[in-house]
Amino acid sequence: MPIFDTQSRDQLRKMYLDAWRKHREGVPMEPLEAQIADVVALHPEYQAALERSDDVLDRDYTPESGQSNPFLHMGLHLAVRDQIATDRPPGMRAAFEALAARTGTPHDAEHQIIECLAEALWEAQRAGRPPDEQAYLRRVQGLAGLRIR
């Protein structure tokens, strides 16, 4: 989703707020807005905050605050969904389908994949290199109970 590369933090957060508002009002949405609204709908714990836009636009979510960053979490859902749709890395779609069958719901499977993605991103950032897509895929395949190549 290249649109995210050119947006500031505030612009990205506003996209979430606007998409959720449009969803609640039942007005037409762009495809990306519909994807965002779908992810928000799966997270009732974030909905009230998104409806109080003044509270979340400027808030810094730090580990010390004890609150997870809803925008990061939902953004990781969108990233995982994009990976599944494009089958990148190759094998991701099959691993997701197997994991969803194992966990019982696509949403639960996405949450497990998000943990793997966050770990891969953290490792890459710490090492100052791009994420290792194959190591990431092997983690997801392992969760899904697939034979790891």
Side-chain angles (χ1 to χ4, degrees):
M1 291 180 209
I3 189 166
F4 292 131
D5 293 343
T6 61
Q7 304 290 315
S8 71
R9 181 185 87 163
D10 290 348
Q11 290 169 322
L12 283 172
R13 288 181 176 189
K14 185 140 176 37
M15 284 178 61
Y16 282 85
L17 299 176
D18 290 344
W20 186 239
R21 178 189 51 77
K22 287 180 178 182
H23 170 80
R24 289 187 343 265
E25 293 174 358
V27 299
M29 292 184 274
E30 297 293 323
L32 179 57
E33 292 173 322
Q35 290 177 39
I36 292 169
D38 183 54
V39 169
V40 174
L42 291 170
H43 293 86
E45 68 274 22
Y46 300 146
Q47 293 169 9
L50 294 178
E51 292 166 15
R52 293 185 318 268
S53 59
D54 296 339
D55 186 40
V56 295
L57 280 177
D58 295 326
R59 173 179 250 159
D60 287 325
Y61 295 91
T62 63
E64 298 80 27
S65 72
Q67 287 185 308
S68 65
N69 183 332
F71 300 102
L72 174 60
H73 181 81
M74 292 184 291
L76 289 171
H77 270 286
L78 293 170
V80 165
R81 288 178 176 199
D82 187 61
Q83 291 172 343
I84 294 162
T86 60
D87 197 30
R88 181 168 179 205
M92 178 58 75
R93 186 177 301 126
F96 166 75
E97 289 169 358
L99 185 56
R102 190 173 229 193
T103 63
T105 71
H107 188 233
D108 288 340
E110 285 178 13
H111 274 177
Q112 289 192 24
I113 295 171
I114 283 170
E115 291 297 320
C116 294
L117 178 57
E119 187 175 350
L121 294 172
W122 179 79
E123 287 172 353
Q125 183 180 23
R126 186 181 62 175
R129 59 171 168 69
D132 183 339
E133 286 187 341
Q134 292 309 304
Y136 164 56
L137 178 62
R138 284 191 301 273
R139 283 187 188 120
V140 175
Q141 289 171 327
L143 288 174
L146 298 177
R147 194 174 100 194
I148 301 171
R149 314 179 215 164

